[in-house]
Amino acid sequence: MNMPFYVAPEQIMKDRADYARKGIARGKSLVAVTYRDGVLLCAENVSNTLRKVSEIYDRIAFAGVGKYNEFDQLRIAGVRHADLKGYAYSRSDVEARSLANHYAQILGQIFTHEMKPMEVEILVAELGEAPGNEQLFHILYDGTVNDESLWSVLGGEAEAISERLGDSHDPGAGIGAALAAAVGALAGPERTLVADDLEVATLDATLGRRCFRRLPAAEVDRLLDAAS
Amino acid sequence: MIMPRLPSLPSFVGGEDPGPSFTALLAAAGHRLDGLAGVDRDLPAVAHATTVVALRHRDGVVMAGDRRATAGNLISHRTIEKVYPAGRHAGVAIAGAAGPSMEMVRLFQLQLEHYEKVEGQPLSLEGQANQLSQMVRANFASALRGLVVVPLFAGWDERCGCGRLFQYDVTGGRYEEQDFAAGGSGSLHAGTVVKLGFRPGLPPADAVDLAVSALFEAADEDAATGGPDLVRGIFPVVANIDADGYQRLDDATVEARFRALLAPADGLADAPSDGPAGAPAGRSADAPTEAVPDDAA
C-alpha cells in the first residue's frame, strides 16, 4: 500500500499561493482611482466584449483580474446577492462591505478546501453618500481583504503601478486627469496605451440612481488627447 | 472546473442555474411569489388603480396616469403612482388591483435591470414586452379572484428607432398598438379623447397635452379616476420616453398644462377641480396646442 508523502501545511499553502499568483500575473493589470465625481476604473483589456469591470448595484462596481471564467462567476453571484437583498429589504441596504465579506469568505474557503485556488483578484468599489467617502475593497485569491480609500491596483505588476499612481493621483481631479493618471500608471514609462487597449468605466455620483457608466472608446480617446 | 457551491452567495449548479432571470432567481432562492394564489373568493375591498393612457408621438411615446386609488366606493389613496420607468428606455403603466400591480412593476423593473447586469447588455424592447406578458399570465389565478393587473408598456425601440406601445389582457395576451392605448376604469373616455385628437407625428408637447386632456375627461366621467387636484397640488404622472430615455415631467410642468387646458373657460382655472363640475368650453382635444413650447416634454 502506498502511503501519501507528508507535506507540511506551510508548504501546501505556499504552493497554492504561488500557483494563484502566477495565474494572476499572466494577465494584465487594472487600476481604480477616486476622482472628483466618484471612482474611475481602468483596465488594460484588448477584448471589447469580455469585461473586467462591471456594474453590481446602484453605487457598487466590480472589477476582476486573472482567470476570466472564475471572476465572472463571482461577478454574477454578486449581482444576484445584491438584487436579492435589495428586493427583500431596500435598495439602501445593499452595501459593498457586506458583499466584500462574502467574497472574502468564498475565496478563503476555496483557497483552503479545494484542490485549486481561484486565480483571481477582485475589487468591490462603492460610492459613499457624501463625496470623498468612496470605498475600495480589494480582495485577494486567498480571501485577504484590503480596504483602500484613494486608489487600488489589481494584477501582477501592482507594486510598480501603485508607486507610479502615488506620484500622480489627485482625488480632486476631473475625469480627464484621473484617466490620464490611471493610464500613465498602467503603461509605465516605456509604453503608451490607447483607447483600444483599455476598458474604462466610472461610478459617477452625478448620474442619479445607477451610477455605473462605461466610457466608449471615442470618449476615452478624446479625454486622453485633451489631457496630454 | 465546476465551481463548488459558494457558501454565502447565491450559487447554483448546472440545471438549477436561473440564468439572467430575476424571478427564476427568486424562486431558486426560495422566495414564494404566489402568496395570493390561495386567497378565498370573498376578498375584502382592495385598492384599485385606474385610468392610464399612452400614445405615440414624433419622437417616442408619452404615458400618463391619474393618482387615485379606490376601494369600493371610497377613495383609498390620492397620490399613488401608476406610471413607472422600466429599463432605461421604457415605461410601464398599471391599472387594476394596486397591490399586485405595484409588486408586478417592481419585479418587472428588477427583471430588466438584473438581466442587463448579468448579461452585460439590455433586453430588447420586444423581449421586455414579452417578459411583462409572462408576468401578467402568471397572475391569472389571482385575476380570476378579482386581483386583475393589466399594464400598458411603452418604450423607445433602439433597433427600429421608434416609439412602440403594448397593451395586455388578463391572460397575458400582448397586443401592440400603433397609435395609442388606454387602460383602467376611465379608459373608454380617455381613449376616445386620444382617438379624436390623435394624428401621426404629433410633436411631443402636443402629445402631452392630449394625454392630459384625456385624463381630465376620464376624471370628469369616471368616479374612480382622479382629476388634477389644484387644492392639494396633486397632478397626474406624465412621462415622456424618447431616444434619451424615460423622463418624468415635473409637477409644475403638468400643472401648467392643466391650467392651459382650463384657461379658455374663464375662472375655472382657479377653481378646485377634483371632480370638475361644468365642462370648460373650448377644451377640445387638439385645441391647447398654442403656446406649447416643444421642450415642455
Side-chain angles (χ1 to χ4, degrees), chain A residues 27-209:
Chain A
K28 310 260 196 237
S29 302
L30 178 155
V31 301
V33 294
T34 57
Y35 72 107
R36 194 181 52 215
D37 296 327
V39 181
L40 177 95
L41 302 122
C42 179
E44 208 179 327
N45 185 0
V46 284
S47 169
N48 221 347
T49 44
L50 305 178
R51 306 291 196 188
K52 291 184 173 178
V53 179
S54 36
E55 175 185 16
I56 294 266
Y57 211 62
D58 296 348
R59 303 174 79 81
I60 304 177
F62 174 96
V65 297
K67 237 179 154 198
Y68 175 77
N69 71 319
E70 294 184 356
F71 69 72
D72 200 53
Q73 275 179 311
L74 291 173
R75 172 187 73 84
I76 291 175
V79 170
R80 287 176 174 162
H81 164 83
D83 278 348
L84 280 174
K85 194 170 178 188
Y87 173 75
Y89 304 111
S90 115
R91 296 198 81 88
S92 60
D93 293 314
V94 179
E95 40 170 34
R97 189 185 47 80
S98 133
L99 183 61
N101 280 334
H102 285 301
Y103 280 139
Q105 280 183 32
I106 289 166
L107 287 166
Q109 172 99 357
I110 290 174
F111 184 77
T112 44
H113 293 280
E114 299 294 327
M115 275 293 292
K116 180 190 109 49
M118 285 185 128
E119 298 159 70
V120 297
E121 227 179 287
I122 59 174
L123 177 81
V124 181
E126 182 178 44
L127 283 186
E129 288 302 320
N133 283 341
E134 294 82 12
Q135 281 189 303
L136 305 169
F137 294 99
H138 179 177
I139 305 150
L140 303 183
Y141 53 84
D142 62 352
T144 309
V145 191
N146 295 313
D147 175 5
E148 287 149 351
S149 58
L150 289 178
W151 72 80
S152 186
V153 185
L154 282 68
E157 296 163 52
E159 267 178 39
I161 294 171
S162 199
E163 209 162 280
R164 289 196 284 268
L165 259 185
D167 298 333
S168 56
H169 179 253
D170 166 17
I175 188 167
L179 179 65
V183 173
L186 273 178
E190 274 128 47
R191 297 190 305 158
T192 345
L193 293 172
V194 295
D196 282 346
D197 309 322
L198 298 167
E199 178 187 348
V200 185
T202 63
L203 276 177
D204 182 340
T206 63
L207 289 183
R209 179 171 73 84

